[in-house]
């Protein structure tokens, strides 16, 4: 086995392990803190909750989640492609299994946190951590993601709008669950539950975005030092980060200077500072956040090119100037 294949295999194995951890965190957040209070959230978990209460707890949430996810995957296989389908089946199977294993216990016992508001906040945070962990490792738990992926294949509607519309609609269907009482009593009972569901969506969506953006966040350094060569060598050898050297001029002194540009992960910024200080304590440094650095050593651009544009770019000859 070549080193490249080995690295690819280990990377995929790490992704699947982290996806499983994310699925477990999501399942605990939903089953232990949201479902026991009868709150409907977005995605297939929300749809499963609707069926669960509509059938008087006869059909488990996990069964509906898995069944609907499989139907969506089968129906959208041609649009979604093989890789997305495999990861979706893996994620949908994992989340349904974890929810199925623990939902019975938590729905048959009093809620861990009696206060509904506090419980859904904690549940939303855990769900957000779980979803964020799944996403940054190229995974998906299915549900609304499948619908969004299929719609974006045939239209220009943004993924965020699709997910929001689907999730908000699922939560709003709480109003039509079986209820013993008149319309006024139904409104008084359903509206708070709907609001709790929408608040939960906002919480886990925010946490998910935070996890994804934190993982992508990088730091940019601009360094001015007379010992620029030593600093550049040390960053290359000790921090294992690339350095770009730019020619510049101090306009006040009219002296030529060398400017170092360095990009690194946010957690590596302390290492860069220590390297600079150990070599030149008088170096002039600026540091700024770079939300998204793509290329070797950082993130990979996962933007799919339009087939027509891709074919045109491949057939066009490069322009030259005399």
């Amino acid at each position: 086995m070549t080193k490249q294949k080995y690295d690819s295999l280990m990377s995929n194995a790490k992704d699947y392990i982290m996806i499983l951890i994310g699925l477990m965190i999501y399942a605990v957040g939903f089953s232990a803190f949201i479902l026991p209070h009868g709150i409907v959230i977005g995605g297939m978990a929300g749809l499963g909750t609707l069926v669960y209460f509509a059938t008087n707890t006869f059909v488990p949430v996990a069964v509906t989640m898995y069944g609907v996810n499989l139907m969506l995957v089968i129906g959208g296989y041609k649009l979604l492609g093989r890789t997305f389908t495999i990861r979706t089946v893996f994620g949908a199977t994992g989340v349904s299994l974890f929810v199925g294993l623990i939902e019975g216990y938590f729905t048959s016992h009093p809620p861990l946190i009696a206060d509904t508001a506090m419980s859904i906040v904690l549940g939303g945070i855990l769900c957000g951590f779980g979803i964020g962990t799944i996403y940054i490792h190229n995974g998906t738990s299915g549900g609304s993601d499948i619908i969004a992926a299929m719609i974006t294949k045939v239209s220009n509607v943004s993924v965020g709008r699709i997910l929001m519309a689907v999730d908000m609609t699922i939560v709003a269907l709480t109003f039509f669950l079986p209820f013993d009482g008149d319309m006024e009593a139904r409104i008084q009972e359903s509206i708070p539950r709907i609001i709790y569901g929408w608040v939960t969506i906002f919480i886990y969506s925010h946490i998910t975005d935070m996890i994804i953006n934190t993982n992508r966040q990088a730091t940019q350094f601009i360094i001015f030092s007379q010992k620029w060569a030593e600093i550049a060598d040390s960053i290359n050898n000790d921090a294992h980060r690339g350095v770009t050297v730019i020619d510049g001029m101090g306009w006040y002194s009219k002296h030529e200077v060398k400017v170092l540009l360095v990009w690194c992960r946010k957690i590596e910024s302390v290492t860069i500072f220590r390297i600079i200080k150990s070599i030149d304590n008088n170096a002039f440094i600026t540091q700024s956040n770079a939300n998204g650095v793509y290329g070797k050593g950082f993130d990979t651009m996962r933007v799919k090119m339009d087939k027509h544009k891709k074919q045109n770019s491949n057939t066009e000859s490069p322009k030259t100037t005399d």
Side-chain angles (χ1 to χ4, degrees):
M1 181 184 294
T2 63
K3 186 178 184 301
Q4 185 176 4
K5 288 184 178 179
Y6 176 79
D7 291 342
S8 177
L9 181 63
M10 293 302 295
S11 178
N12 285 330
K14 179 185 175 183
D15 278 344
Y16 279 106
I17 291 172
M18 293 306 298
I19 289 170
L20 281 175
I21 293 173
L23 293 171
M24 285 190 285
I25 295 173
Y26 176 85
V28 170
F30 167 72
S31 302
F33 299 101
I34 297 174
L35 183 60
H37 289 279
I39 304 302
V40 177
I41 62 174
M44 291 303 102
L47 186 60
T49 306
L50 287 173
V51 174
Y52 178 74
F53 288 115
T55 60
N56 195 25
T57 71
F58 179 74
V59 180
V61 176
V63 173
T64 302
M65 290 174 65
Y66 197 56
V68 175
N69 272 323
L70 285 183
M71 288 189 290
L72 288 172
V73 169
I74 293 170
Y77 176 75
K78 290 184 178 179
L79 284 175
L80 300 176
R82 182 172 176 270
T83 302
F84 184 87
T85 300
I86 291 173
R87 288 184 178 263
T88 301
V89 171
F90 177 80
T93 302
V95 72
S96 298
L97 180 63
F98 292 138
V99 170
L101 288 174
I102 63 177
E103 67 169 303
Y105 175 83
F106 288 108
T107 53
S108 61
H109 290 76
L112 294 177
I113 299 178
D115 183 71
T116 302
M118 291 298 296
S119 189
I120 66 164
V121 167
L122 181 55
I125 291 173
L126 288 175
C127 287
F129 270 104
I131 297 171
T133 302
I134 295 166
Y135 280 178
I136 63 178
H137 291 281
N138 307 315
T140 172
S141 59
S144 304
D145 293 348
I146 305 175
I147 299 173
M150 289 191 294
I151 294 178
T152 53
K153 291 284 186 179
V154 296
S155 72
N156 293 323
V157 182
S158 69
V159 174
R161 290 184 181 180
I162 298 169
L163 292 176
M164 184 61 67
V166 172
D167 289 348
M168 297 287 277
T169 301
I170 291 173
V171 174
L173 292 175
T174 302
F175 186 82
F176 300 101
L177 288 174
F179 180 78
D180 295 329
D182 56 17
M183 181 58 69
E184 184 178 352
R186 177 186 287 273
I187 293 173
Q188 291 177 351
E189 171 70 19
S190 300
I191 295 302
R193 292 172 66 188
I194 292 174
I195 293 174
Y196 277 134
W198 286 341
V199 169
T200 307
I201 291 175
F202 173 80
I203 292 172
Y204 69 64
S205 297
H206 177 73
I207 297 296
T208 299
D209 289 341
M210 183 185 71
I211 296 297
I212 294 173
N213 291 333
T214 300
N215 181 70
R216 290 177 177 173
Q217 197 171 68
T219 300
Q220 173 182 277
F221 285 94
I222 300 177
I223 306 163
F224 298 83
S225 172
Q226 293 181 350
K227 300 179 180 179
W228 59 271
E230 295 178 52
I231 293 174
D233 287 338
S234 185
I235 291 174
N236 277 165
N237 299 327
D238 300 333
H240 305 291
R241 281 298 178 187
V243 181
T244 300
V245 182
I246 299 176
D247 291 324
M249 175 181 288
W251 195 245
Y252 178 78
S253 63
K254 301 298 188 294
H255 291 161
E256 292 186 356
V257 295
K258 297 291 185 180
V259 183
L260 305 183
L261 292 182
V262 180
W263 290 272
C264 66
R265 292 294 187 188
K266 193 171 183 179
I267 60 174
E268 298 172 320
S269 58
V270 174
T271 301
I272 303 297
F273 270 119
R274 285 174 179 169
I275 289 172
I276 299 170
K277 185 177 180 180
S278 67
I279 297 172
D280 184 2
N281 197 36
N282 295 318
F284 184 83
I285 311 164
T286 67
Q287 177 189 13
S288 60
N289 291 328
N291 191 10
V293 177
Y294 302 92
K296 188 174 182 180
F298 290 92
D299 298 320
T300 301
M301 289 187 290
R302 297 184 176 91
V303 179
K304 291 187 176 180
M305 295 289 290
D306 181 79
K307 290 183 178 179
H308 179 69
K309 291 181 178 179
K310 191 174 182 179
Q311 289 174 354
N312 288 343
S313 63
N314 290 335
T315 55
E316 286 180 356
S317 59
K319 296 179 180 179
T320 59
T321 55
D322 295 333

